[in-house]
Amino acid sequence: MLVVGELINGMYSNIGAAIRERNKEAVQKCALEQIACGAEALDVNCGPASRQPLLDMPWLVETIQEVTDKTLCLDSSKPAVIEEGLKVSRNKTIINSTTADADKLDILVPLANKYKSRLIGITINAKGIPQNKDQRLELAVSIVSACQEKGFPVENLYLDPIVLPVNVAQPQMRDILESISEFKIISEPGAKTIIGLSNVSQGTIFRSLVNRTFLTMAVAYGLDSAILDPKDKELIDTLITAELILNKNIYCDSYLEAYRKK
Amino acid sequence: MLVVGELINGMYSNIGAAIRERNKEAVQKCALEQIACGAEALDVNCGPASRQPLLDMPWLVETIQEVTDKTLCLDSSKPAVIEEGLKVSRNKTIINSTTADADKLDILVPLANKYKSRLIGITINAKGIPQNKDQRLELAVSIVSACQEKGFPVENLYLDPIVLPVNVAQPQMRDILESISEFKIISEPGAKTIIGLSNVSQGTIFRSLVNRTFLTMAVAYGLDSAILDPKDKELIDTLITAELILNKNIYCDSYLEAYRKK
C-alpha cells in the first residue's frame, strides 16, 4: 500500500502560513514527520487561499526535495500549477489529478507522459459526482481508454472512485468499495486504485474511527494507495494489520514495529 | 449483525470456578455485563475441564435464563451435552455446533428440528481443517445439503468457515474472508454466516487490534454473526462503525451511543 501523506496542504493554517512566509523549515518538518510515520509519498497542495499558486507549487516542491527523495503527489485542479511543480521536481511524481473530462485528459495525460509521472484519475466529470457504481465504472473506463489512446501506461494510473462523507452519502459507501475491485479489472495490465481517505469522515464526530474502519474495508477490496494523515497512529496500526491479515507482510510478534522500520 | 458474547465459558477461571461452586451470581453477572455491552446472544460452554457437563450445561442454562431471555448458544462438541441444555431452555437457542461429518449431522440436524433451534455448521470434518477456499465450500455444501434433506430451514443455519490464527495460517486469511460471501450463495434462501472471532488473534501480541481489523473485513464480506468478547469496547465501536459504513444503521453524530441504546 502506497501511503501518501496529506498534511502539506495550504488549507492547514500552519502550512498556509509557511507558504506565505516562505518558511522552508515548517514545510520540511511536516514532510519529515509524515515520512517518519510511514508515508512513502507526500501530497503537495498550495491550498485554496494561495494567490500565486504558479509560484507556490514550485517553491513547495523545491523546499521538500531538499530533505527527501520520496515521491511527490502534485495536487491542484489547475494543470498549469501542476506543470510548474513537474518542471522543478527531481523526485518521482504523481499528478493529482485529472477528471474524466476530455479537456482535462487531453492536457494531463500528455503532461504525465512528458514528465514520466504517474497520474491520478478521479471518476468525476463536468456533470458532477457519480451517484452509483455503474456511473463510476463508466467514468473509469473513459479515463483508462484515454490513457491507452495517448500511450500512457495504465499500470501508472491510479483510479480514484471519489470517497464521499458517510454522513451525507451513506448509501453509496458500498458502491465506492466495490468500485475499487471493479476498477482493477477494466484493463490488463490493470490500473491501480487510490482514495482520498479523510473525506469519508468529513463532518463526523469520530473521525479517526470512521477513517480506519473504512480504510480496512478498502484494503479488503484491493486498494493500492491512500492519501491520508500518517500521523494518526491508530490509522497506520490498523493499515499495517489489515495488510498483515491479507498476507502482504509476514507475521512476527513485533510486526507493527517491523513494518515501520522497513 | 448478531453479536454472541463468548465469556460464559468454563475455560475462563472465573466461570470455571462459578460452575464448580454452583455460584449463580457470577454467571448471571457475566451474562448481564455482556448484554449491557451489546451482546444479543450468549455462548454457553462448560469448558474443557468440566467433569459433569451433562449436569453443568443445564445448570448454566437455567442460571442464565433467570436473568435474561436472550438467545443461548449451546456450545459443546458432545451432542448429548447440547441436548441437556436444549431440554431446559425456555430462551431461543443456537446449537454450537455440528461439523460436516455425516454422523454429526445425523444427530444434530434432527436435534435442531426437534427443539426448533438454530444451528451452527463448522466447515471441518474428521479429515481435519480445510486448507483452502474450495475445501471450505465443499464442506459447506455438504452441510447445507444435509439440512435440506432433513427438512431443516437453511435460513436458520449459520455456516462457520473456521477462523485460524493469523500467526500460523496467514495465507488462509483471504480464503476465510471470501468463504463468507461464497457460503451465502450456496442455496436460496441462503444460509447465514458466523465466525468465532477471537481465534484469529490467538497467540498474537496485539489481540484487540487484530480482532477488530479482521472483523471489519468480515463485515465487508457480508458476515451475519460473530462470537466475540463484547466487553472489548474498541471492538464493538469498530463493529458499529463498519455496519454504519455499509448503511445498516442510519448515521447520526451520536451513532455509537444510539446503537448501544437500541
Side-chain angles (χ1 to χ4, degrees), chain A residues 170 173 241 244-245 249 251, chain B residues 170 173 209 244-245 249 251:
Chain A
Q170 239 193 307
M173 294 295 115
T241 304
L244 183 87
I245 288 170
N249 309 304
Y251 180 85
Chain B
Q170 238 192 309
M173 294 295 116
L209 175 63
L244 183 87
I245 287 171
N249 307 305
Y251 180 85

Side-chain angles (χ1 to χ4, degrees), chain B residues 188-249:
Chain B
E188 179 56 43
K192 295 188 173 64
T193 51
I194 192 167
I195 58 172
L197 178 64
S198 304
N199 209 32
V200 76
S201 64
Q202 199 74 45
T204 69
I205 305 289
F206 307 103
R207 291 205 63 173
S208 176
L209 175 63
V210 171
N211 286 344
R212 64 180 177 263
T213 306
F214 188 81
L215 182 62
T216 303
M217 292 182 166
V219 169
Y221 276 92
L223 186 71
D224 299 292
S225 179
I227 304 175
L228 52 73
D229 176 3
K231 290 170 79 175
D232 180 344
K233 183 177 179 299
E234 283 186 277
L235 176 65
I236 301 297
D237 282 354
T238 300
L239 172 59
I240 297 170
T241 304
E243 296 215 289
L244 183 87
I245 287 171
L246 296 182
N247 206 23
K248 295 185 180 176
N249 307 305

Side-chain angles (χ1 to χ4, degrees), chain A residues 9-29:
Chain A
N9 188 318
M11 80 176 179
Y12 298 118
S13 57
N14 64 328
I15 299 297
I19 294 171
R20 282 191 304 278
E21 297 158 10
R22 291 296 186 251
N23 175 354
K24 281 188 173 184
E25 202 176 22
V27 171
Q28 291 171 341
K29 180 167 171 279

Side-chain angles (χ1 to χ4, degrees), chain B residues 5-66:
Chain B
E6 72 184 5
L7 299 177
I8 300 179
N9 188 318
M11 80 176 179
Y12 298 117
S13 58
N14 64 327
I15 298 297
I19 294 171
R20 283 191 302 279
E21 296 158 10
R22 292 294 186 254
N23 175 353
K24 282 187 173 186
E25 203 177 21
V27 172
Q28 291 172 341
K29 180 168 170 278
C30 183
L32 294 174
E33 280 175 354
Q34 292 185 85
I35 292 165
C37 293
E40 290 176 86
L42 299 170
D43 198 66
V44 182
N45 186 319
C46 307
S50 167
R51 294 201 204 137
Q52 43 180 11
L54 293 170
L55 299 178
D56 289 347
M57 178 61 88
W59 178 80
L60 278 172
V61 168
E62 289 181 322
T63 297
I64 298 163
Q65 67 191 6
E66 281 180 12

Side-chain angles (χ1 to χ4, degrees), chain B residues 30-234:
Chain B
C30 183
L32 294 174
E33 280 175 354
Q34 292 185 85
I35 292 165
C37 293
E40 290 176 86
L42 299 170
D43 198 66
V44 182
N45 186 319
C46 307
S50 167
R51 294 201 204 137
Q52 43 180 11
L54 293 170
L55 299 178
D56 289 347
M57 178 61 88
W59 178 80
L60 278 172
V61 168
E62 289 181 322
T63 297
I64 298 163
Q65 67 191 6
E66 281 180 12
V67 295
T68 178
D69 58 5
K70 296 283 183 193
T71 297
L72 302 180
C73 186
L74 306 177
D75 186 357
S76 171
S77 57
K78 300 192 180 75
V81 172
I82 289 173
E83 183 158 18
E84 291 308 303
L86 290 168
K87 278 181 191 169
V88 300
S89 183
R90 292 187 309 271
N91 296 13
K92 287 182 183 168
T93 55
I94 303 174
I95 291 173
N96 184 9
S97 56
T98 182
T99 64
D101 294 299
D103 57 338
K104 281 289 178 77
L105 289 163
D106 284 345
I107 298 172
L108 287 158
V109 178
L111 208 58
N113 276 332
K114 177 175 174 188
Y115 290 95
K116 299 194 188 314
S117 174
R118 282 173 280 175
L119 174 65
I120 296 173
I122 303 192
T123 55
I124 187 173
N125 64 9
K127 288 183 194 156
I129 293 171
Q131 294 301 308
N132 56 44
K133 204 167 61 168
D134 289 346
Q135 290 177 10
R136 283 184 166 79
L137 187 60
E138 199 178 315
L139 293 167
V141 168
S142 64
I143 295 171
V144 169
S145 302
C147 288
Q148 289 170 329
E149 282 165 21
K150 296 172 201 298
F152 179 77
V154 176
E155 58 270 35
N156 290 339
L157 173 68
Y158 287 78
L159 289 168
D160 180 339
I162 189 159
V163 172
L164 303 172
V166 66
N167 62 350
V168 298
Q170 238 192 309
Q172 281 205 59
M173 294 295 116
R174 189 182 277 278
D175 274 8
I176 294 167
L177 290 165
E178 290 178 353
S179 293
I180 292 169
S181 51
E182 289 185 359
F183 286 179
K184 295 166 73 77
I185 53 173
I186 291 173
S187 60
E188 179 56 43
K192 295 188 173 64
T193 51
I194 192 167
I195 58 172
L197 178 64
S198 304
N199 209 32
V200 76
S201 64
Q202 199 74 45
T204 69
I205 305 289
F206 307 103
R207 291 205 63 173
S208 176
L209 175 63
V210 171
N211 286 344
R212 64 180 177 263
T213 306
F214 188 81
L215 182 62
T216 303
M217 292 182 166
V219 169
Y221 276 92
L223 186 71
D224 299 292
S225 179
I227 304 175
L228 52 73
D229 176 3
K231 290 170 79 175
D232 180 344
K233 183 177 179 299
E234 283 186 277

Side-chain angles (χ1 to χ4, degrees), chain A residues 56-157:
Chain A
D56 289 347
M57 178 61 88
W59 177 80
L60 278 172
V61 168
E62 289 180 321
T63 298
I64 299 163
Q65 67 191 5
E66 281 181 12
V67 296
T68 179
D69 58 4
K70 296 282 183 192
T71 297
L72 302 180
C73 187
L74 305 177
D75 185 358
S76 171
S77 56
K78 300 191 179 75
V81 172
I82 290 172
E83 183 157 19
E84 291 308 303
L86 290 168
K87 279 181 192 168
V88 299
S89 183
R90 294 187 307 271
N91 296 14
K92 288 182 184 168
T93 55
I94 303 174
I95 291 173
N96 185 9
S97 54
T98 182
T99 65
D101 293 299
D103 58 338
K104 280 290 178 75
L105 289 162
D106 284 345
I107 298 172
L108 287 158
V109 178
L111 209 59
N113 277 330
K114 178 176 174 187
Y115 289 94
K116 300 195 188 315
S117 175
R118 282 174 281 175
L119 174 64
I120 295 173
I122 303 192
T123 55
I124 187 174
N125 65 9
K127 288 184 195 156
I129 292 172
Q131 294 302 306
N132 57 45
K133 204 168 61 170
D134 289 346
Q135 290 177 10
R136 284 185 166 79
L137 187 60
E138 199 178 314
L139 293 167
V141 168
S142 64
I143 295 171
V144 168
S145 302
C147 288
Q148 289 170 329
E149 282 164 20
K150 297 173 200 299
F152 179 77
V154 176
E155 58 270 36
N156 290 339
L157 172 68

Side-chain angles (χ1 to χ4, degrees), chain A residues 32-62:
Chain A
L32 294 173
E33 280 174 354
Q34 292 185 84
I35 293 165
C37 293
E40 291 176 85
L42 299 170
D43 198 67
V44 182
N45 187 319
C46 308
S50 168
R51 294 200 204 136
Q52 41 180 11
L54 293 170
L55 299 178
D56 289 347
M57 178 61 88
W59 177 80
L60 278 172
V61 168
E62 289 180 321

